Every structure is written in C-alpha cells, then in structure tokens.
Amino acid sequence: MSFFPKRTVWRPLALSIAVAALGSAQAPPALADQPQDNGSAEVSAAQHGELHSLRGAMPRPDDFSKSPREHKQHPLPWVDGPGQPNDPVVQTSAGPAAPTFGSGVDGVGNGFSGPQGTFTVDSAPPDTNGAVGATQYVQIVNSGFAVFDKTSKSAVYGPVPTNTLWQGFGGPCQSDNDGDATVVYDKAAGRWVISQFAVTAAPYYECVAVSKTADATGGYWLYAFPYGSVFPDYPKMGVWPDAYYETFNMFNGNTFAGAKLCAYDRNSMLNGLPATQQCFQLSSSYGGVLPADMDGSTAPPAGAPNYLFNFGTGKLNEWKFHIDWNVPGNTKLTGPVSIPVAAFSAACSGGTCIPQSGTSQKLDSLADRLMFRVGYRNFTDHESLVITHSVTAGNKRTSPSGVRWYEIRSPGAAAPTVYQQSTYAPDSSYRWMGSLAMDKQGNIALGYSVSSSTMHPAIRYTGRLAGDTLNTMQSETSIVAGTGSQSGSNLSRWGDYSAMTIDPSDDCTFWYTNEYLKTTGAFNWSTRIASLKFAGCQ
C-alpha cells in the first residue's frame, strides 16, 4: 500500500527584526529581569483517552492520497532595518577534526518502504524531526512516522499517518491528520511524546500521545488540548521535570497574535490521568519562542523553571516559566530577559534566497525564528543551553547564509551569560536549517542543510570538543550529498526544521535527521537519519 501524508496549510511567523548594531564578539552581560506583568495563566482541560497498542492499529483508508501541494505561505511584513551589520563572529575556516560519522540510512520520504507499506510524497516541506530512545529511533515527517531499531537502523513499524495514534479517540485528533508534528523522548521517564495539531476547522487542538513504556510501538495515553478559533501554528515541545512545555505562534486569520507558551501536566499524562494545560499569551511583539528540552541524566536544580527563548535585534530573549499544578494562581511567567549577542541579520532577510544547482528556484531560509531544539544540560557545576538560527554570514545582503550558534550558561540567574557564540560559514556555500545538541562531556554536534549555485542541497554536520578554542567548530563532514535540486511547481519551502538529539543509553551518540533530494523535481523529497560520536566520549 502507499501512504500519502495529508496536506496542511502553512501560516508563517510574523516577527519584525531590525538590523543589529555592529557589535563585538564578546557580548555584554544580560539585562536583569524587569518587572513585567505577563498576567495570570489560562487554564483549560484536555480530552483524554487511550490506544492499547500501536502495533494493532491499522491506518484509515481515507488518510491516504491527495494531489501534490506546497504548504502555503502567507507573507507578512518583514522589517530588516537600514544597512547590513557586519557579523563579527563568522568562522570562515575550520580545524581538521570532527565527530566520527557512524552510519546513515534513508528515513521516511519518497519511495521509503517499511513494514506498513510504501511512502509517497504529496506535500512540502517535510517538517523532518526525530528522537532517540532506549532501543528505538522514531522519525516523524509532516503527517506520518516510522519506528526504527536503534542498532540496525531498520524500520520495525511504519510508515503510517500520525493520526493512527488516535484511532478510537474521536474528534479532530482522530479525523484530521494535519501535521506540524514533533517527537521527543522523555529520558527520565523512558517515554515517547508524539504530537501534531488538528486544524482542519475550528476549534483547533494540539493532539499529544504519551507512550506507556519505552516501546514506541506499544500503548499510548492520548490527549487533545484546545485552542479555540485562534490558529496554533508551529508547535514545539520541550521536556522538563514538572511539565511538557509547548510553544505556538498564534494567528487570528492571517494576522499574527503573538506567541503562546503552554505547560502540559506531565505527571498526569505519564499515568493516563485527566490533564490540564496552563498557558500565557504574549503580545505580537514576540514570536518564534522555543522551550528548553532536557538532555542528560541530571535534572535541573529543584524548582527550576523552564527556560524559553526567541531572538530580537542583536539579542536573545529569555522567559522563565514556573508552573504550580496545585495552585494555578501561583504559576508565573517572568521576563523577557534581554541577552545581548554579536550583531547579525537574518539570512535572506528571513525569506527565500538559498540557491541550488541547475535551477533558478530559491529555497526558504526560515530565518525569522530559532531552530528546534533548545537543548538543556545540567553539569552540576554549571547549566548550559545550546541554541541556533540562520543568519547572513557577511556584511552584504548577497552574502551566503551561515548557522549562528550559542552556548548560554547560568539561565536561572538574573543575568544569563553567553559563554560562546559563532556563525559557522567556512566557505561561500549557504548553510541553514540547523539543529544542535551537547553530549555528557560538553561536546557539541551541529547538523544543517548546505547548498549553492553549483551544489544540490546536502546534509552535513560539524562539532566541537568541550576543550576546543571557544567560539569555534571543527571541520564539517557529509552525511549525504544531494543528487537533485528542488525545482518545479514554484516550490520554495524546505525543511521547516531538523533535529539533532542525544542517545540516552550512552549520552554520547548524536542522532541527526534532515531533508535532501535524490533527483531534481518537486514533491519528491527524501530524508536521512545518521548517528555520530566523538571518539573520546565513552
């Protein structure tokens, strides 16, 4: 049988960014918390239910096949300011070493076959992401997913539509298969959390499935969190001890209404109990906010809030979300704290300019927001978060794009610090769609897309050891070289996100997934799953 992921309509983030002033590589300390009234949390209950076994669920016939279509983009005003700031932290060369490439296999994409059938692409972009667990890797694209054995990297389940998880649940989570899906692995609990939105018609929902065990093909507790008639776009999740934190870009029609920051009752969801959410709605001045997602076996300090970030002009913004499930009136959202960073301008002014070989079709940079995930790690003597987005790697609007990355420390302090930062752009090719993570030794791996007018879009990675010179990455390594460019149907959308995650079994092995093409065309994307590791991490 062939699997066709159902299409969704894309509504992009509206976020105005002015050009940052020319700055030094060493950022000044963050500004202390300013008293801000973010109001009281909105509290609402989720519908909940149960799937006894994913292995026993069969995809619905009407979840398959429609004609190809790009997720529509609704342009919104973009302010890039006068001039073009010089990026003072561009890294234009790299050292000889890099994390050791393990192996790679094709993931869900054009022609991918697994136990449940063969996948056929009918939409773009793929929204590629994945997570690694105790024995399995789960990869999810816009509206379908598959489960892989971690050792052999062979598919043991899928591909199936994502709403297969909600069979028997009823309502839009069962009937819709609208995508914008993510998967995260709750390392402390040994559970999978898979989510996507249901937005075919209002009222809108975020559908969340929490596995009952570490087996992604087993049973799930099911939840549907309501968002009324305001469209909850680009949902992104982070795991924290006291909640699953979810962020959205909210739209009234095509008008951006600001980011919404929500906390789901993790403890109740792990036990299949009724669950509520508590949310804060930000103003339209803030969008593209991502929650911290915990890596490693050491929890944050007791009572630590979740840390959430976006970027503004020459700065990162940090919010602190403290949840109280017993007394919602005590729940607080503080911030934003302004964390000055080296000057930058968004790649392609936030829009479309990435060149490809053999076609005049340019690709979307999605540079108006941070890229998934914000990885958090507690080393006991310090806390670190790693963050990335796409910027212009030079002082001209025609300069190629590079991947800006940061390591933020002391996130719970009044003034968090930028421990290191850089823009990785070792040559004139365009690099974007990044994702990064940190292992238990403090080594970092960074994966991304790369393309140019003489090269098809490819997937590469770089990395750094904890003891390397600050603000630098090592040489890059190819995961897969693209052998086709995206051309035809005026198709510019690319990726939407990728995912670098860390294996909880050894806390050393990185897993990365992203998009590429094998042949030039439209609606024929493939994905790749790869593992890599620093030799000294045992």
Side-chain angles (χ1 to χ4, degrees), residues 71-362:
H71 300 175
K72 289 184 178 179
Q73 195 169 20
H74 302 276
L76 294 169
W78 177 265
V79 179
D80 207 23
Q84 188 84 359
N86 182 56
D87 186 334
V89 295
V90 176
Q91 181 182 346
T92 56
S93 62
T100 302
F101 180 66
S103 63
V105 296
D106 272 352
V108 179
N110 194 42
F112 171 81
S113 293
Q116 271 61 45
T118 300
F119 185 93
T120 300
V121 174
D122 78 338
S123 63
D127 297 356
T128 315
N129 71 108
V132 56
T135 62
Q136 298 165 326
Y137 183 86
V138 175
Q139 188 205 36
I140 197 162
V141 294
N142 195 280
S143 51
F145 71 101
V147 181
F148 298 79
D149 176 78
K150 199 170 69 174
T151 302
S152 67
K153 290 189 172 72
S154 60
V156 296
Y157 180 84
V160 296
T162 307
N163 68 344
T164 303
L165 287 161
W166 283 272
Q167 281 194 15
F169 185 73
C173 288
Q174 175 177 323
S175 60
D176 299 350
N177 195 45
D178 291 334
D180 256 25
T182 62
V183 55
V184 294
Y185 187 70
D186 184 335
K187 303 168 186 67
R191 306 289 190 88
W192 299 94
V193 187
I194 299 174
S195 58
Q196 71 168 351
F197 58 21
V199 292
T200 299
Y204 305 126
Y205 293 89
E206 181 71 1
C207 310
V208 183
V210 179
S211 68
K212 296 179 180 180
T213 69
D215 179 7
T217 69
Y220 283 80
W221 303 116
L222 307 176
Y223 296 87
F225 291 94
Y227 297 95
S229 60
V230 185
F231 191 94
D233 193 42
Y234 210 69
K236 294 293 174 286
M237 180 176 285
V239 177
W240 207 248
D242 58 10
Y244 296 129
Y245 286 86
E246 189 92 64
T247 58
F248 304 89
N249 299 316
M250 306 300 288
F251 287 83
N252 283 306
N254 291 329
T255 302
F256 181 58
K260 197 177 193 76
L261 316 182
C262 296
Y264 301 155
D265 188 345
R266 173 178 176 264
N267 184 63
S268 292
M269 296 167 74
L270 288 171
N271 292 287
L273 301 173
T276 59
Q277 65 173 342
Q278 296 185 31
C279 300
F280 290 91
Q281 177 65 53
L282 302 184
S283 76
S284 59
S285 297
Y286 300 106
V289 179
L290 292 182
D293 184 35
M294 191 183 82
D295 287 329
S297 58
T298 303
N306 187 260
Y307 308 110
L308 305 100
F309 295 84
N310 82 340
F311 69 75
T313 304
K315 65 181 180 180
L316 297 173
N317 293 311
E318 183 199 54
W319 288 263
K320 298 171 185 175
F321 196 152
H322 169 74
I323 193 76
D324 189 326
W325 293 112
N326 295 318
V327 185
N330 292 337
T331 295
K332 299 294 180 186
L333 180 71
T334 59
V337 174
S338 177
I339 308 173
V341 299
F344 66 86
S345 59
C348 309
S349 296
T352 299
C353 78
I354 309 293
Q356 311 173 83
S357 175
T359 178
S360 60
Q361 177 65 59
K362 301 296 194 294

Side-chain angles (χ1 to χ4, degrees), residues 356-357 455-458 481-486 494 516-521:
Q356 311 173 83
S357 175
M455 181 178 68
H456 300 301
T483 50
S485 292
Q486 187 164 277
W494 184 267
Y516 78 107
L517 268 71
K518 296 180 180 178
T519 60
T520 295

Side-chain angles (χ1 to χ4, degrees), residues 333-419:
L333 180 71
T334 59
V337 174
S338 177
I339 308 173
V341 299
F344 66 86
S345 59
C348 309
S349 296
T352 299
C353 78
I354 309 293
Q356 311 173 83
S357 175
T359 178
S360 60
Q361 177 65 59
K362 301 296 194 294
L363 299 177
D364 184 19
S365 67
L366 211 71
D368 59 354
R369 67 200 71 193
L370 298 177
M371 290 283 93
F372 187 61
R373 302 174 301 138
V374 173
Y376 166 92
R377 187 175 285 273
N378 184 3
F379 289 95
T380 67
D381 63 341
H382 70 275
E383 300 169 82
S384 286
L385 299 110
V386 287
I387 300 171
T388 186
H389 59 109
S390 303
V391 302
T392 301
N395 59 3
K396 298 179 180 179
R397 294 190 185 276
T398 55
S399 296
S401 61
V403 181
R404 171 66 71 88
W405 61 273
Y406 311 92
E407 180 183 351
I408 305 299
R409 291 193 175 183
S410 304
T417 59
V418 180
Y419 181 69

